[in-house]
Amino acid sequence: MRFWTFLLLASGVSATLAAEPQAVTVQTQHFQITSYAGKSEAEQEGNFLESLVTQFTQVLQIGPSSGQTATPLLSVELFPTLKAYEATVLPLLGKAPTPPLALKFSAEKSQLLGVVHQGDNSSWAFQTFLEWFWATAPQAPAWLEEGLARYFWDISGEAPAWQFGQNLVFADDLLKQWTQPPELSFLTKTKLTDQEALSAWGLVTFFMNTSNPSYSRAFGAYLANLASQSNKLTHLKPDFAPALSKDCWNWWQAHPGRATLLQEAEKALKNGDGKTAQPLIAQALQLKTDGNTLYLAGLAAYESKEYAQAEADYLKAQEAWKKSPPGLLDYALGLTFYQEQKWTEAKAHFTSAGKASETYKKLAEPLLANLP
């Protein structure tokens, strides 16, 4: 992960490649930006990078200690087009990577190559984190580096607030791997397997989000001292590691990913158990709101005889789920209005469902016949 990663830089700047573009250098608190795309683009990227460093510093409570020498400026090169980028970078790579955007660090981890191209904010944030983290904590153990890198990668790039670690995109894979409290032998390793890197992400996410004050204080203090001391959390007391493993596992059992949540909710709904399904679907909606999940929320409310809530959820689903199965949501709303004795609304939705689908027409006909 240190030497190669794919990068899309999210400035959204579009420029025309000149025959011999002139370099402009802009210096910020932590970065020296050499831009072949113009001064304004360099300043824009400098502000963006500094805002990320500020967020990382606040979240991690980590930075140079008062007695530490100033961290050297991180060097960033911006190119106006993909063609200009490849002309400079491909001689280093030997061949075009797939996808075509890639980067390579110098041995000192001080040189970052980039391209000004509309793309994925989370990729740029992730890469910026690695650069800043290496400069701030060059002796970090492998599990912490891998875990934090994945934690900061775990952002959708869609939310303007940059909600670090809140999407839990690896949670389903992690829970498949962790069928019991995880082994923590990876804490002492200098190189991690893919499975161990996933476990490191799970452990770091636990530390960053746990409400247990003992763990949160210990991890916060460790991070605060990491840049200036050889204070390794790998040296755990024999009676501490089993408790950490169990508590971390229990936390993840209570914070599964969307796929796991929805699978469990659908099992409950098949048994007509809306009460069990409701909190699972609510958790899934916190991670991502979409029409299909809103429909399941409505179904869970309906099975729980909470018809007003079912109506509200179905209407939201109808607005968000443009490609829902024909007739499904109209039929669901018809049933809900029927239970609420809103006969006019029930008739309208049963009629719409019947027009959209022959299956729902057959289901709706006896209900329509019984309407007052």
Side-chain angles (χ1 to χ4, degrees):
M1 185 176 291
R2 286 192 175 197
F3 300 107
W4 299 96
T5 189
F6 297 112
L7 168 68
L8 290 174
L9 191 146
S11 67
V13 177
S14 176
T16 302
L17 176 63
E20 294 182 2
Q22 298 297 310
V24 177
T25 300
V26 172
Q27 184 172 311
T28 64
Q29 182 179 355
H30 297 94
F31 299 92
Q32 179 172 296
I33 302 171
T34 302
S35 173
Y36 297 90
K39 184 177 180 180
S40 62
E41 287 81 359
E43 291 174 343
Q44 177 182 339
E45 292 309 319
N47 292 334
F48 175 64
L49 293 173
E50 291 296 345
S51 71
L52 290 178
V53 169
T54 298
Q55 291 180 70
F56 294 144
T57 304
Q58 291 172 346
V59 171
L60 290 179
Q61 305 176 50
I62 182 174
S65 63
S66 58
Q68 186 179 2
T69 57
T71 303
L73 294 176
L74 298 176
S75 176
V76 181
E77 290 188 19
L78 301 180
F79 297 89
T81 65
L82 177 60
K83 183 178 180 181
Y85 171 79
E86 290 181 338
T88 301
V89 176
L90 290 187
L92 300 176
L93 303 180
K95 62 179 181 178
T98 303
L101 300 179
L103 79 162
K104 183 178 182 179
F105 295 103
S106 66
E108 296 77 22
K109 301 178 187 173
S110 62
Q111 185 69 21
L112 174 64
L113 301 176
V115 58
V116 179
H117 185 77
Q118 183 72 29
D120 182 359
N121 276 348
S122 62
S123 296
W124 187 226
F126 166 74
Q127 197 54 59
T128 305
F129 162 73
L130 286 182
E131 279 283 287
W132 171 80
F133 184 71
W134 288 336
T136 306
Q139 301 302 320
W143 73 269
L144 183 62
E145 182 180 71
E146 289 282 355
L148 283 173
R150 288 174 182 246
Y151 182 80
F152 280 98
W153 175 253
D154 181 19
I155 48 180
S156 68
E158 299 172 358
W162 289 81
Q163 296 297 315
F164 294 117
Q166 296 306 303
N167 292 320
L168 308 179
V169 295
F170 302 109
D172 296 305
D173 290 338
L174 185 70
L175 288 173
K176 289 178 183 177
Q177 180 173 303
W178 283 4
T179 57
Q180 58 186 1
E183 293 288 338
L184 298 180
S185 57
F186 63 84
L187 290 172
T188 59
K189 294 186 177 181
T190 57
K191 187 176 181 180
L192 307 183
T193 65
D194 290 342
Q195 286 188 333
E196 289 169 339
L198 185 62
S199 292
W201 171 81
L203 180 60
V204 166
T205 301
F206 165 72
F207 278 134
M208 296 288 280
N209 291 279
T210 179
S211 59
N212 185 315
S214 298
Y215 289 129
S216 57
R217 281 198 298 265
F219 191 57
Y222 173 67
L223 290 172
N225 294 327
L226 186 63
S228 59
Q229 298 181 11
S230 179
N231 178 19
K232 294 188 176 181
L233 198 61
T234 56
H235 298 154
L236 299 174
K237 296 179 181 178
D239 59 341
F240 181 64
L244 171 60
S245 175
K246 184 177 179 180
D247 290 342
C248 180
W249 187 66
N250 287 336
W251 187 90
W252 276 107
Q253 295 298 308
H255 295 82
R258 272 179 56 83
T260 300
L261 288 166
L262 294 177
Q263 285 172 4
E264 294 301 313
E266 288 172 0
K267 287 180 184 178
L269 288 173
K270 286 179 181 179
N271 294 323
D273 186 357
K275 292 295 185 183
T276 298
Q278 281 179 305
L280 298 170
I281 296 170
Q283 277 187 270
L285 285 170
Q286 287 179 350
L287 301 177
K288 181 182 177 182
T289 301
D290 66 323
N292 187 22
T293 309
L294 286 168
Y295 164 72
L296 292 177
L299 181 57
Y302 182 89
E303 293 292 345
S304 301
K305 302 185 185 307
E306 298 173 10
Y307 300 121
Q309 184 61 54
E311 176 188 334
D313 289 330
Y314 284 146
L315 289 172
K316 289 179 183 177
Q318 197 170 47
E319 178 66 25
W321 198 7
K322 301 302 183 184
K323 296 184 178 180
S324 61
L328 171 65
L329 289 169
D330 274 314
Y331 184 71
L333 281 164
L335 289 174
T336 304
F337 287 126
Y338 189 92
Q339 295 292 342
E340 295 179 292
Q341 298 185 3
K342 296 179 179 180
W343 311 123
T344 301
E345 292 88 342
K347 181 178 180 180
H349 284 284
F350 281 144
T351 301
S352 295
K355 291 179 180 179
S357 166
E358 188 65 28
T359 298
Y360 289 116
K361 181 180 180 180
K362 293 179 180 179
L363 291 172
E365 282 177 348
L367 296 169
L368 283 167
N370 288 331
L371 288 176

